[in-house]
Amino acid sequence: MSQDQFMREAIKLAEDGMQSGRGGPFGCVIVRAGQVVGRGHNRVTSTNDPTAHAEVVAIRDACANLETFQLTDCELYTSCEPCPMCLSAVYWARIPTVYYGNTRQDAAAIGFDDDFIYQQVPLPPEKRAIKMSPLLREAAQATFSAWAKKTDKVRY
């Protein structure tokens, strides 16, 4: 399949998910060596899961299918530029290439405006709209110390 065909499949997933009432108009495929290894469409409203964006669903599907937590040899095709959460998931999955259809401005024009999140991320925690307060750091440090000393850990 060609890049255009992979993007058309992502767009079809967006259409199918939207028309079936399972979520918003977003779809995604993950490709490895010319084969689709993960698929997803937005399922936020049908699963009551605010993290069930198309890219996250597709990443979970690809990782399950490939039995790995890193997709370093994959490409992601999504019907819309990833939101901050999905972009972070792409980085965590180590996907080196993303192709997108609609822009985040296109999404904002139909009511999916993530700009406030982009503005919040660089702020120090105490300046964010969501109240964030440190608590029991000393106690939490014990687990971090144990991780640092753990000899059989799987790095990611």
Side-chain angles (χ1 to χ4, degrees), residues 71-134:
L71 303 173
T72 57
D73 56 352
C74 295
E75 300 173 329
L76 185 143
Y77 294 79
T78 180
S79 64
C80 186
E81 182 179 355
C83 75
M85 177 185 68
C86 293
L87 182 59
S88 296
V90 168
Y91 277 104
W92 279 117
R94 309 293 196 266
I95 300 171
T97 306
V98 172
Y99 299 97
Y100 60 91
N102 294 304
T103 67
R104 68 192 216 202
Q105 292 81 10
D106 297 331
I110 62 165
F112 293 94
D113 192 355
D114 301 324
D115 194 51
F116 76 97
I117 299 172
Y118 284 102
Q119 292 174 15
Q120 290 285 305
V121 169
L123 296 176
E126 66 276 4
K127 301 255 183 183
R128 294 183 182 148
I130 295 172
K131 182 180 178 187
M132 299 184 75
S133 302

Side-chain angles (χ1 to χ4, degrees), residues 3 15 27-28 58 68 91 112 119 124 129:
Q3 290 178 325
E15 177 75 19
C28 181
T68 184
Y91 277 104
F112 293 94
Q119 292 174 15

Side-chain angles (χ1 to χ4, degrees), residues 21-80:
R22 291 187 300 250
F26 305 97
C28 181
V29 296
I30 296 177
V31 175
R32 178 181 183 205
Q35 299 294 317
V36 174
V37 295
R39 291 176 173 79
H41 63 78
N42 184 286
R43 296 179 182 183
V44 170
T45 58
S46 61
T47 61
N48 296 314
D49 179 355
T51 69
H53 290 200
E55 295 90 341
V56 171
V57 172
I59 287 169
R60 290 173 180 164
D61 188 45
C63 288
N65 290 335
L66 297 175
E67 298 181 342
T68 184
F69 55 84
Q70 293 190 343
L71 303 173
T72 57
D73 56 352
C74 295
E75 300 173 329
L76 185 143
Y77 294 79
T78 180
S79 64
C80 186

